[in-house]
Each structure stands twice: as structure tokens, then as C-alpha cells.
Amino acid sequence: MESARADNRQGLLVGGACLRTADDLMRKQMLPAAQELYQRENQRLRADCGHAGSRPWVAIALGVVAPAALGWAQYRTYPRTNRVLNRGLVAAATVAVLPRGTAGVR
């Protein structure tokens, strides 16, 4: 393509012929194929969006209940052990809360 452009700039006939052939190839074969591919991918996307279910309410409920249960366990453990924070429960609560921030991000 670049050599055809260079030849065309120099006024050589072969450069213009190569550019016309490339233009013809692009208009008759490449662009229709790209358009067909675009349409197929859009149809697949619409089908996938149609098959996607509603929100995962069970996972959302567990994401709320698990940290609450761990907080309650932390509160219940404090009078028995005189520890303000139990390392294991803090680690579990951290693990339960952190992945929620990335869930559902598109």
C-alpha cells in the first residue's frame, strides 16, 4: 500500500492502478465483511443480554448478612475475652467485605 502511494506520488501509472485495486477490494469485500461481523456481534450481544438474569439477590443478601454476622460475633466475643478486636474475626470480616466492592462493576 505504501509503495503504491509512493509510486502514485511520483506519477507512475502502476501506483494509481494498485490504489484503485486496493480501493475496489476494500469496498467490495472488506467493508461488507466487516459490516456483517459487526451485525453478528451485535446480535450475539443482544442475545446474551436477553439471557442474563436479574440481580443475584441471594449473593447480595449474603454480602450484607456475612459482615453483619461477623460484627455481631465480634461484639459477642468482647465481654468473654476482653479483646476489643479479635484478629480472626477482623480478617474474616475484611475478606467478606473487600470482594463486594468489585462485584457488579462493568
Side-chain angles (χ1 to χ4, degrees):
M1 197 64 196
E2 288 303 315
S3 64
R5 283 187 187 146
D7 289 344
N8 192 39
R9 281 188 210 120
Q10 292 176 4
L12 300 175
L13 296 176
V14 72
C18 287
L19 288 175
R20 280 189 296 279
T21 302
D23 182 59
D24 190 48
L25 177 68
M26 183 182 69
R27 287 182 189 208
K28 291 182 179 175
Q29 291 181 5
M30 294 174 74
L31 288 177
Q35 182 66 26
E36 181 184 340
L37 178 64
Y38 175 76
Q39 289 172 349
R40 274 190 279 144
E41 288 301 316
N42 274 341
Q43 288 173 353
R44 275 186 47 203
L45 177 64
R46 283 190 212 103
D48 288 346
C49 287
H51 289 99
S54 63
R55 294 198 182 270
W57 294 111
V58 173
I60 292 170
L62 286 175
V64 171
V65 170
L70 290 167
W72 176 78
Q74 186 83 290
Y75 175 76
R76 198 188 87 208
T77 305
Y78 170 69
R80 292 188 208 170
T81 62
N82 278 339
R83 289 185 186 168
V84 176
L85 296 174
N86 182 309
R87 282 186 247 157
L89 289 174
V90 169
T94 302
V95 168
V97 170
L98 283 181
R100 272 190 12 199
T102 59
V105 175
R106 293 182 184 191

